[in-house]
Amino acid sequence: QAKSDADFVIVFAHWGTEYDDEPDAFQKRWAQIFLECGVDVVIGTHPHCLQPFEVLTGKDGHEMLIFYSIGNYISAQPVESCVKGGMAEFTVSLTADGYRISAYELKPLAITWADGRYGVDFAE
């Protein structure tokens, strides 16, 4: 229904296996469902570590940008994989065929601790 009411649909999914750096079967199954429903972008969270991002193309030619997990932005978790995160960035442009993604990237982040406090730095 969201696709019929909106020009562009973004889904924020809380999914995936904690600390796993690859999408699991549940994420892949729901990615296909979102694609078939016409979702334009999926931004995933929950595993607390970075997972891949890609563009999927449906049978009808519809393209969907998916960030399976953007990791942590702020965290005090001691697991090494949890100190990496990312900011999903994409540009939505109006084309003759409607609104589409014209550029995208994942800006890497690293969580650092200093003086008992923690924050976020852009990774190099």
Side-chain angles (χ1 to χ4, degrees):
Q1 182 177 345
K3 191 63 178 177
S4 64
D5 292 340
D7 294 321
F8 196 85
V9 177
I10 302 172
V11 169
F12 290 89
H14 186 254
W15 61 0
T17 304
E18 283 191 347
Y19 314 122
D20 195 343
D21 60 2
E22 290 296 325
D24 61 26
F26 180 86
Q27 289 169 282
K28 290 187 179 238
R29 181 169 44 103
W30 275 97
Q32 288 303 310
I33 292 169
F34 294 146
L35 180 63
E36 291 169 15
C37 289
V39 170
D40 297 293
V41 176
V42 176
I43 300 174
T45 63
H46 178 69
H48 300 287
C49 60
L50 286 175
Q51 291 183 339
F53 63 97
E54 63 182 335
V55 174
L56 300 177
T57 304
K59 294 174 188 171
D60 61 356
H62 174 73
E63 292 184 341
M64 178 181 78
L65 174 60
I66 182 166
F67 297 88
Y68 289 98
S69 175
I70 56 173
N72 285 335
Y73 188 76
I74 295 177
S75 173
Q77 291 175 300
V79 179
E80 185 176 337
S81 63
C82 294
V83 299
K84 298 179 212 169
M87 289 193 317
E89 184 175 299
F90 53 92
T91 303
V92 179
S93 300
L94 180 58
T95 70
D97 298 322
Y99 290 93
R100 301 285 180 258
I101 299 290
S102 56
Y104 62 91
E105 67 179 302
L106 182 79
K107 292 191 176 213
L109 302 172
I111 297 170
T112 59
W113 290 269
D115 300 331
R117 296 179 303 194
Y118 44 91
V120 175
D121 291 327
F122 287 94
E124 295 183 24

